[in-house]
Amino acid sequence: MKTKSWTVDRKDDLSRSYPQISQAAALLKENELVAFPTETVYGLGANAQSDEAVAKIYQAKGRPSDNPLIVHVADKEQVKKIAAKIPPLAEKLMETFWPGPLTLVLPKQDGLSKLVTAGLETVAVRMPEDALALALIKESGLPIAAPSANLSGKPSPTLAEHVAHDLTGKIAGILDGGPTGVGVESTVVDCTGEVPVILRPGGITKEQLEEAVGTVEVDRALLKEGEAPKAPGMKYTHYAPKADLYIVKGSMEYLQSLVDQERAAGREAGVLTTEENRAAYDADAVLAAGWRSKPETIAAHLYEVLRQFDERDLDVIYSESFSEEGVGSAIMNRLMKAAGQRVLTENH
Ligand code: AMP
Ligand code: MG
């Protein structure tokens, strides 16, 4: 399949008729796949009402069919056609955080492709903030199922180039709107019970949620390994670079000593660090994701850096670890998954 590519200049007025967006929306209406930027990562969109269209997502990504998709909407009215019920708590979250990087799990209504929800009785819904994403969804007139636009298991795409690398020839089109903002996926919150439960940490922090609606719980599986997660997708290995990745808890000297051991044994070793610390390391590749003092910059570039390591033919990567406060919770969740939960702790 030939993959079309359109570039959209964000300085343009996207609310007016825009040929690139119209062409992309036309393909979505024909049940084809189109990748588009959101404020979190690039999404791979399909008509959420069509089995034919949604099946193409699972096929193009190589995604396991028991990992449900998030349905993206352009306004709150659309939610009423997807969800059977909107509990007051969900209403409040929508009011506070939409449009934005927050996905709500709600009881589902008929009319969506069964493949979207992977057989569950609930559906995950989000209204993105990105003007280009909103314009595309609006123009299509459809609820749009959109997981991250990467091959399953690879780091999520934060640039159109990442999408092209993974999916050229497998999808109908890519809307290139430049780099995404947040860099990690949306926070997924289960709103079907009395108390909201975070199933996946992301762009909106627990602290922000609690400020809006009071007590918020965290899915036990996120706190404890080995339990079946309620967000089915969380059980899969994700984001993994080709080299073995380890998260290091300890001093910079300890991390450097691990690198030295590998190199002495003839292996190529990389370091994932921050701008503050990068000059301190000597390795075959030293890449900084962002500033430790500004965790949002680390979230924004984490996946990009994981992909850059793949171009370096390394055997092993050692990553510094990060505070789990605020967006740090999403950063450490993704890093731990990329590392297959492997942590090396310095003995004092
Ligand atoms: P992705 O599309 O790759 O960003 O992943 C979507 C995330 O949302 C996965 O972790 C899914 O398991 C989760 N998700 C989607 N639908 C549901 C649902 N109905 N209930 C719980 N989690 C869901
Ligand atoms: Mg994904």
Side-chain angles (χ1 to χ4, degrees):
M1 170 186 293
K2 174 121 180 56
T3 302
K4 289 204 184 79
S5 174
W6 309 271
T7 304
V8 172
D9 186 344
R10 286 171 174 284
K11 291 196 286 302
D12 291 345
D13 177 6
L14 301 182
S15 64
R16 304 220 329 245
S17 164
Y18 206 95
Q20 291 91 325
I21 296 174
S22 306
Q23 288 170 27
L27 286 172
L28 288 172
K29 284 189 266 192
E30 290 164 22
N31 293 337
E32 296 295 340
L33 303 183
V34 174
F36 59 95
T38 77
E39 73 275 23
T40 58
V41 302
Y42 272 75
L44 181 58
N47 174 4
Q49 292 170 338
S50 158
D51 283 343
E52 179 202 353
V54 176
K56 287 178 184 170
I57 288 183
Y58 287 96
Q59 197 183 7
K61 283 182 59 90
R63 182 174 173 112
S65 60
D66 64 347
N67 186 2
L69 307 174
I70 295 169
V71 179
H72 292 67
V73 296
D75 54 56
K76 289 183 199 159
E77 282 307 301
Q78 252 184 317
V79 183
K80 295 184 186 146
K81 298 183 194 143
I82 295 166
K85 202 173 86 190
I86 304 176
L89 155 77
E91 194 80 57
K92 175 81 184 162
L93 288 173
M94 280 163 49
E95 235 168 72
T96 315
F97 297 106
W98 280 12
L102 178 68
T103 296
L104 304 178
V105 173
L106 301 168
K108 73 161 189 181
Q109 228 187 82
D110 295 336
L112 289 175
S113 162
K114 287 208 167 34
L115 301 175
V116 168
T117 53
L120 298 174
E121 286 309 311
T122 53
V123 61
V125 194
R126 166 166 117 83
M127 177 174 164
E129 186 174 18
D130 185 277
L132 180 47
L134 284 175
L136 177 67
I137 299 166
K138 204 168 267 170
E139 176 112 11
S140 76
L142 297 165
I144 298 295
S148 51
N150 53 289
L151 288 175
S152 206
K154 292 277 163 210
S156 299
T158 51
L159 294 170
E161 289 76 13
H162 299 158
V163 182
H165 178 270
D166 280 15
L167 297 174
T168 294
K170 297 181 165 184
I171 64 176
I174 302 173
L175 262 176
D176 181 350
T180 59
V182 180
V184 289
E185 296 85 345
S186 59
T187 305
V188 180
V189 175
D190 183 354
C191 297
T192 60
E194 293 282 301
V195 178
V197 182
I198 296 176
L199 304 181
R200 174 176 78 180
I204 300 288
T205 65
K206 180 167 188 272
E207 294 83 346
Q208 286 174 292
L209 293 169
E210 290 196 315
E211 201 167 307
V213 292
T215 308
V216 173
E217 282 174 6
V218 176
D219 187 37
R220 287 177 59 192
L222 289 176
L223 304 172
K224 239 177 88 195
E225 249 183 88
E227 289 205 19
K230 256 188 111 182
M234 297 301 283
K235 71 174 183 250
Y236 296 105
T237 306
H238 264 89
Y239 322 117
K242 288 183 205 148
D244 289 334
L245 173 65
Y246 295 88
I247 300 181
V248 179
K249 296 199 170 165
S251 64
M252 292 163 71
E253 292 75 22
Y254 173 59
L255 196 154
Q256 182 66 50
S257 75
L258 295 168
V259 170
D260 294 343
Q261 278 171 37
E262 289 296 324
R263 295 175 98 191
R267 285 188 286 271
E268 305 247 326
V271 175
L272 198 170
T273 177
T274 56
E275 296 294 351
E276 286 94 338
N277 296 351
R278 69 187 305 162
Y281 293 109
D282 177 25
D284 296 299
V286 179
L287 299 181
W291 295 88
R292 186 169 282 277
S293 56
K294 294 191 204 107
E296 340 57 87
T297 63
I298 294 174
H301 299 289
L302 180 64
Y303 293 140
E304 188 180 346
V305 165
L306 288 173
R307 282 180 179 259
Q308 283 168 0
F309 278 119
D310 275 354
E311 291 159 19
R312 306 292 184 97
D313 257 340
L314 301 166
D315 297 295
V316 58
I317 302 160
Y318 294 109
S319 173
E320 292 183 350
S321 63
F322 300 94
S323 149
E324 300 209 21
E325 244 169 79
V327 74
S329 159
I331 293 169
M332 282 306 287
N333 172 266
R334 306 308 193 274
L335 252 189
M336 286 291 279
K337 284 162 106 13
Q341 314 290 326
R342 287 175 298 207
V343 177
L344 298 171
T345 306
E346 182 174 18
N347 292 317
H348 289 284

